[in-house]
Amino acid sequence: MSDPAWEAVDSYISDLLVPEDDDLRAVHEANATAGLPAIDVAPNQGKLLHLLARLAGARAVLEIGTLGGYSTIWLARAVGPQGRVVTLEFAPHHAEVARANLERAGVADRVDVRVGRALDTLPTVESDGLGPFDLVFIDADKKSTADYVRWAVRLGRPGTVVILDNAIWDGAVADLDSADLDALGVRAGLEEMARNPRLEATAIQTVGVKGWDGFALAVVT
Ligand code: SAH
Ligand code: DHB
Ligand code: MG
C-alpha cells in the first residue's frame, strides 16, 4: 500500500533535510542498471540510520542484507575513517554491485562485504573476532529475523543498538490470521525482541515512498 500524499511528504523531507550527493544518487542508477530491486531504505531512512549510529558513537557496525550498499554507505559515513562496517549479502551479484558503489563513494576501505547466507557467515564474523558491534542493522530475508535478533545480541555488548527494517510489513505483523511467511518472520523477530531478557525494544510505524512499514529499535542490556 502506498499513497501519493505520503510520497509528496517524503520528497519534501528529503529535498529539505537529506539532499543526496552524487555518490548516493549513483547508487540508485547503478542498482537499476544492474537489475537490483529498488528495496533499499529511503533517503530519510538512510539518514536516520546514520544519525542513530552517530548518536551511539558507533565505530563497529554489522549490517545483515547489503543489496547495493545504499544503507551501507550511510552507516559507513557514520563510523568515520577509523570505523568498520561488516555487511552480509547472500547474492554474489548484489555484493559485486555494492562493492563498486562503496568504492565510488570512497568508503570501500572501511567496509567488509561478506557473501553467503547470513546464517552461514555470522559464525565466521564471530570466529574472526569482528565484534562486539556497537550497532546492528537487520534488513535481509524476513523469515530469519528472530535468528538475526539473537545473533545481534550474541555479537553485541551492553549498549549495542539493534535496528530492524520492515518491522510493520504493510500492517501484516498485526494480522494474526496472516499466512504471509515474511510477516510471520518479522513478527517472530519482534516477539524475540519482547521475550529476550537482554533486549529493551520498541517499534515505530512509518509511511512514505516505501509504503506503510516501520523500524523496530532495541538496546542490548
Ligand atoms: N540494506 C539494504 C537493502 C537490503 S535488501 C539497503 O537499504 O540499501 C535485502 C538484501 O538481503 C537483498 O540484497 C538480499 O539478496 C539479501 N538477502 C536475502 N536473504 C539473505 C540471507 N539469507 N543472507 C544474507 N542476505 C540475504
Ligand atoms: C522487501 C525487502 C525489504 O528489505 C524492504 O525494505 C522492502 C521490501 C521485499 O523483499 O519485498
Ligand atoms: Mg528493508
Side-chain angles (χ1 to χ4, degrees):
M1 186 168 78
S2 197
D3 183 309
W6 300 348
E7 292 176 19
V9 173
D10 253 12
S11 293
Y12 168 74
I13 294 170
S14 294
D15 290 349
L16 182 67
L17 296 167
V18 200
E20 288 187 310
D21 53 46
D22 289 345
D23 293 329
L24 289 169
R25 265 196 300 273
V27 173
H28 299 305
E29 281 170 34
N31 288 3
T33 302
L36 270 52
I39 55 173
D40 17 31
V41 294
N44 52 344
Q45 296 175 326
K47 180 93 178 260
L48 178 69
L49 296 173
H50 173 89
L51 291 174
L52 288 168
R54 281 175 54 182
L55 288 167
R59 288 292 171 268
V61 168
L62 173 64
E63 176 178 68
I64 307 177
T66 315
L67 190 67
Y70 182 79
S71 54
T72 320
I73 291 172
W74 279 110
L75 291 166
R77 288 177 177 175
V79 300
Q82 307 306 322
R84 191 125 195 101
V85 179
V86 178
T87 183
L88 310 181
E89 173 54 52
F90 171 71
H93 179 54
H94 295 184
E96 184 185 304
V97 173
R99 286 196 180 108
N101 287 336
L102 293 161
E103 194 72 52
R104 189 191 311 101
V107 294
D109 53 332
R110 63 184 92 150
V111 182
D112 179 354
V113 184
R114 297 199 165 200
V115 181
R117 286 175 69 240
L119 290 178
D120 295 330
T121 53
L122 282 161
T124 72
V125 170
E126 181 173 51
S127 60
D128 287 351
L130 300 179
F133 293 96
D134 307 310
L135 184 146
V136 181
F137 177 48
I138 301 171
D139 190 19
D141 55 313
K142 309 310 164 191
K143 67 179 185 308
S144 304
T145 304
D147 283 321
Y148 297 149
V149 170
R150 282 186 285 271
W151 270 105
V153 173
R154 182 170 172 138
L155 296 175
R157 41 108 185 136
T160 293
V161 176
V162 182
I163 306 163
L164 172 64
D165 191 29
N166 309 113
I168 305 303
W169 206 249
D170 219 5
V173 282
D175 174 6
L176 297 182
D177 298 325
S178 178
D180 177 322
L181 291 180
D182 292 322
L184 292 172
V186 174
R187 186 149 79 219
L190 293 173
E191 286 168 2
E192 179 63 26
M193 284 188 168
R195 190 199 59 74
N196 194 307
R198 293 204 51 209
L199 289 172
E200 278 289 334
T202 189
I204 292 289
Q205 305 184 68
T206 58
V207 295
V209 288
K210 314 307 288 194
W212 178 23
D213 214 323
F215 288 107
L217 180 70
V219 65
V220 177
T221 60

